[in-house]
């Protein structure tokens, strides 16, 4: 691209940066196996047993959890790209200023030559008739030629850098807009799944809702007992690391606070918002989403688990809890529930990761 197009693109980019000040909410990781949408209305509770209704509600909230993870990841990427664009805009502005300075110096030299009758410095020295002036000036001419050559090289490099910055900024802007679209889609999916689950639960009578909660707790207890009796966890009281103790202390202090999708505290959390903030409090930053925590953090065998480790749940890594010992986790379960303690084996375990390994 030529310099005029480069400068024009830079100006357009700097103006577009004003859009970055618009508030953007938090989001999560891509959903590896997309769930069907909740466009179809759930079956009326009267046509199903209460246990079937419980399973359907649980599935809807799991889908919402996966979509929340997608939303959180898109948010994280949007913030990163916004920051990169701001930095590139600064580099573009600096490049334009440097080019203007170099052109000003070149113009000054051209004007000086014009004032000397248009003769190059070497010819001026020859015509001076003063041998001493000639000998003294030769070195100055050489230095001037080197400086001019260096200035032209620097000008060329500055123009090339400016083109590169503008190109990179354009690519980041395209990514930013793509992530904004992903955000909107993930937000829509989350709201649809949560609304479908709430609608299904609202159709139940008060006694049925109470019984539904009992069934939910019974299912979790049954799964936990089966997991413990299987011998999957041989030592339930391993000692935590120093960082792990700090993370556990933070996470358990949040018990009782509500689940809110996309939330990272301090008043509410989603599942990965809780675990990421707990480890941030322990001075060990980790990825924001459960899927990225599963993808990026070191994995360890379940039987070697210790307090502070993160247990990733379900085949799509859409939920995470922090192991606190005694076969228990602290986690933010789902909308309508608060941060709480639960059996580590009460859900389908995908694996365990250790942030401070």
């Amino acid at each position: 691209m030529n310099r005029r197009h480069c400068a024009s693109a830079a100006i357009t980019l700097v103006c577009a940066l004003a859009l970055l000040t618009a508030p953007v909410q938090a989001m999560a990781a891509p959903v590896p196996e997309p769930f069907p949408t909740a466009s179809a209305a759930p079956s009326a509770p009267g046509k199903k047993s209460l246990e079937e209704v419980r399973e359907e509600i649980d599935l809807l909230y799991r889908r919402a959890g996966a979509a929340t993870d997608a939303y959180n990841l898109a948010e994280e990427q949007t913030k990163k790209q916004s920051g990169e664009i701001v930095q590139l805009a600064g580099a573009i502005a600096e490049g334009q200023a440097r080019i203007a300075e170099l052109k000003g110096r070149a113009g000054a030299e051209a004007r000086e030559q014009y004032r000397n009758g248009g003769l190059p410095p070497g010819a001026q020295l020859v015509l001076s008739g003063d041998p001493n002036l000639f000998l003294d000036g030769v070195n100055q001419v050489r230095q001037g030629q080197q400086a001019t050559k260096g200035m032209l090289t620097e000008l060329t490099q500055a123009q090339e850098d400016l083109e590169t910055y503008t190109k990179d900024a354009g690519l980041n802007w395209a990514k930013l807009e793509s992530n904004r679209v992903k955000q909107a889609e993930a937000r829509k999916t989350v709201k649809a799944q949560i609304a479908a689950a709430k609608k299904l639960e609202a159709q139940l009578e008060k006694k049925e809702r109470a019984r539904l909660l009992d069934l939910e707790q019974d299912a979790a207890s049954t799964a936990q007992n089966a997991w413990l009796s299987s011998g999957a966890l041989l030592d339930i009281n391993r000692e935590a690391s120093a960082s792990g103790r700090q993370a556990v202390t933070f996470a358990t202090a949040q018990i009782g606070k509500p689940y809110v999708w996309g939330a990272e505290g301090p008043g509410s959390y989603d599942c990965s918002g809780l675990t990421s903030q707990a480890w941030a409090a322990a001075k060990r930053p980790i990825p924001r989403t459960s899927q990225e925590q599963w993808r990026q953090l070191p994995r360890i065998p379940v039987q070697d688990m210790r307090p502070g480790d993160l247990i990733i749940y379900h085949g799509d890594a859409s939920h995470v809890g922090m192991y606190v010992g005694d076969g228990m986790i602290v986690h933010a379960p789902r909308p309508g529930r608060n941060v709480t303690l639960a059996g580590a084996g009460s859900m389908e375990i995908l694996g365990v990761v250790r942030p401070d390994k």
Side-chain angles (χ1 to χ4, degrees), residues 16-356:
L17 288 173
L19 296 176
L20 296 178
T21 60
V24 182
Q25 296 179 334
M27 45 192 129
V31 183
E33 299 177 4
F35 290 112
T37 64
S39 56
S43 303
K47 297 181 181 180
K48 294 186 176 183
S49 70
L50 202 55
E51 176 60 24
E52 290 173 327
V53 172
R54 184 197 67 79
E55 291 176 353
E56 187 170 349
I57 290 174
D58 183 64
L59 177 59
L60 286 168
Y61 278 124
R62 275 191 54 202
R63 290 174 178 173
T68 298
D69 222 32
Y71 177 79
N72 288 338
L73 180 63
E75 159 68 6
E76 193 172 28
Q77 291 174 337
T78 297
K79 287 180 179 178
K80 178 181 178 182
Q81 284 149 6
S82 296
E84 289 174 351
I85 289 175
V86 171
Q87 291 178 349
L88 287 169
I92 288 170
E94 290 177 3
Q96 289 174 319
R98 184 59 179 157
I99 288 172
E101 178 193 350
L102 292 170
K103 285 182 177 179
R105 286 168 52 188
E109 291 187 7
R111 288 191 297 273
E112 178 64 23
Q113 184 172 331
Y114 176 78
R115 284 194 293 270
N116 291 324
L119 294 175
Q124 295 173 28
L125 289 170
V126 171
L127 295 175
S128 70
D130 186 339
N132 291 328
L133 178 62
F134 177 81
L135 292 174
D136 292 340
V138 166
N139 187 47
Q140 295 179 9
V141 170
R142 288 175 178 170
Q143 291 177 349
Q145 288 173 338
Q146 291 175 349
T148 299
K149 182 179 178 181
M151 182 179 65
L152 293 174
T153 300
E154 187 176 354
L155 178 59
T156 300
Q157 184 62 52
Q159 290 172 331
E160 291 176 354
D161 289 345
L162 186 58
E163 291 176 3
T164 299
Y165 293 147
T166 304
K167 181 179 178 181
D168 290 345
L171 291 174
N172 276 13
W173 184 263
K175 291 178 182 178
L176 181 67
E177 289 305 301
S178 174
N179 276 327
R180 289 187 191 278
V181 172
K182 290 179 181 178
Q183 264 186 286
E185 291 174 348
R187 183 187 295 114
K188 182 178 179 181
T189 300
V190 171
K191 289 184 175 180
Q193 300 292 352
I194 292 176
K198 287 183 176 179
K199 180 179 179 180
L200 189 59
E201 194 165 358
Q203 292 172 343
L204 298 171
E205 298 291 338
K206 184 177 180 179
K207 290 182 179 180
E208 290 178 316
R209 287 197 294 272
R211 176 59 182 153
L212 189 69
L213 180 58
D214 289 339
L215 289 174
E216 182 181 305
Q217 294 172 343
D218 289 344
S221 179
T222 299
Q224 170 74 352
N225 290 335
W227 179 67
L228 289 175
S229 62
S230 71
L233 189 62
L234 301 179
D235 186 349
I236 63 174
N237 288 310
R238 293 179 182 273
E239 184 175 351
S241 65
S243 296
R245 285 193 295 272
Q246 289 180 313
V248 169
T249 297
F250 179 93
T252 52
Q254 312 313 309
I255 290 175
K257 295 182 179 180
Y259 177 106
V260 174
W261 68 270
E264 301 176 81
S268 58
Y269 296 88
D270 64 14
C271 65
S272 56
L274 176 64
T275 54
S276 60
Q277 289 301 304
W279 274 100
K283 312 301 183 186
R284 292 288 187 117
I286 63 173
R288 166 65 178 86
T289 71
S290 60
Q291 291 172 354
E292 287 301 293
Q293 289 169 7
W294 174 242
R295 188 176 71 86
Q296 296 185 34
L297 297 178
R299 300 178 186 181
I300 62 167
V302 174
Q303 60 267 26
D304 294 334
M305 188 165 53
R306 70 188 185 194
D309 290 344
L310 305 181
I311 304 181
I312 309 298
Y313 292 96
H314 310 307
D316 58 0
S318 59
H319 191 70
V320 60
M322 177 179 291
Y323 187 63
V324 296
D326 294 325
M328 304 293 288
I329 60 167
V330 59
H331 72 142
R334 65 168 177 83
R337 299 287 185 266
N338 297 330
V339 176
T340 188
L341 291 173
S346 59
M347 296 169 283
E348 175 195 0
I349 294 177
L350 177 61
V352 179
V353 294
R354 177 166 292 168
D356 60 343

